[in-house]
Amino acid sequence: MNAVSLDGKKVLVVGGSAGIGLEVAKIALQLGGVVHIASRGKTVPTSILDGVIYHECDAKSDASLRALFDEVGSVDHVAVTVHESAARLGIDTTADRMNLSAVIEYAEGKYLSQYRVIQAALPHLAMDGTITLTSGVASRAIMANHSAISGVNAAIEASARQLAKEQAPRRINVVAPGVTETTTYDAMLPELREQFIKQIAAVVPLRRLALPEEIALSYIFAMQCGYLTGTVIDVSGGQLIG
Ligand SMILES: NC(=O)c1ccc[n+]([C@@H]2O[C@H](COP(=O)([O-])OP(=O)(O)OC[C@H]3O[C@@H](n4cnc5c(N)ncnc54)[C@H](OP(=O)(O)O)[C@@H]3O)[C@@H](O)[C@H]2O)c1
């Protein structure tokens, strides 16, 4: 069995204070990892999880990320789950109504922030270490009002393939979640949220949204499977097969 043990390994989850990232942190902790999480401290209290080391950090800032990695030091595994909510920015719309400033903010909060984490992490990352990024099913699924969201998520997957070759033997992968029940939808009005959940469940073969812990397992797999690199792990309840 050549699974990479997380026992005693340092695992950093950037975006780990809520949603999918928080579940990655919980599982890594259960598997014996020394777990650090980082977030801006905006959406949740910072004292969320016993046993993890919390860092305040804004992935939109190079200086903040440099300070984070100076604090964390050498690291074995980095999972990145940051984003700006597309729903909050109102870019889940048609091209004729699209606000390009909001698209730029989305790309900044998701693609560029993840890219910045990679740049900040590399000087500290073990040679057998991993970085696992996050895209989304919209990178390839045809979904109404997703032209801009799709492009940003596809860019993450494209960059990861290049980086996996460039940075080997370090391993770089991407998790592409389907729609997942997390805090990201808390900002929606309850009736709109209900309607949205029903619409998504209707087009997913498993007929429901994902739970954050179901998505989180794939980041752990990416850390533990020593032969996995340059790959997108789709965890979408079958949405890509229609
Ligand atoms: N939920 C879904 O349906 C879904 C579907 C497809 C893809 N995804 C992707 O999966 C990832 C996780 O989504 P989620 O739903 O779990 O998100 P979430 O519940 O909104 O949590 C996002 C986490 O990232 C942190 N964060 C956001 N911006 C940050 C920044 N600039 N610097 C540092 N931390 C930051 C947040 O904390 P602070 O705000 O306190 O910083 C929070 O801990 C995202 O990349 C998202 O696009 C989600």
Side-chain angles (χ1 to χ4, degrees), residues 73-97:
S74 60
V75 62
D76 298 293
H77 301 287
V78 180
V80 198
T81 56
V82 300
H83 72 154
E84 281 299 336
S85 159
R88 181 187 70 73
L89 291 167
I91 62 165
D92 46 350
T93 188
T94 53
D96 49 308
R97 294 179 184 183

Side-chain angles (χ1 to χ4, degrees), residues 8-9 12 15 33 36 55 68 74 78 86 101 108 123 132 145 150 157 159-160 179:
K9 296 288 182 183
L12 169 65
H36 294 245
H55 305 264
L68 168 68
S74 60
V78 180
S101 305
E108 179 71 36
T132 310
N145 303 328
S150 177
E157 295 175 3
S159 284
V179 180

Side-chain angles (χ1 to χ4, degrees), residues 128-179:
D128 61 351
T130 69
I131 299 178
T132 310
L133 305 173
T134 309
S135 61
V137 67
S139 64
R140 281 154 294 132
I142 300 301
M143 297 165 76
N145 303 328
H146 271 64
S147 60
I149 298 168
S150 177
V152 170
N153 284 284
I156 293 167
E157 295 175 3
S159 284
R161 281 191 288 274
Q162 304 287 338
L163 286 161
K165 180 120 187 177
E166 179 187 296
Q167 296 297 331
R170 290 150 157 173
R171 298 184 291 105
I172 318 276
N173 293 291
V174 183
V175 173
V179 180

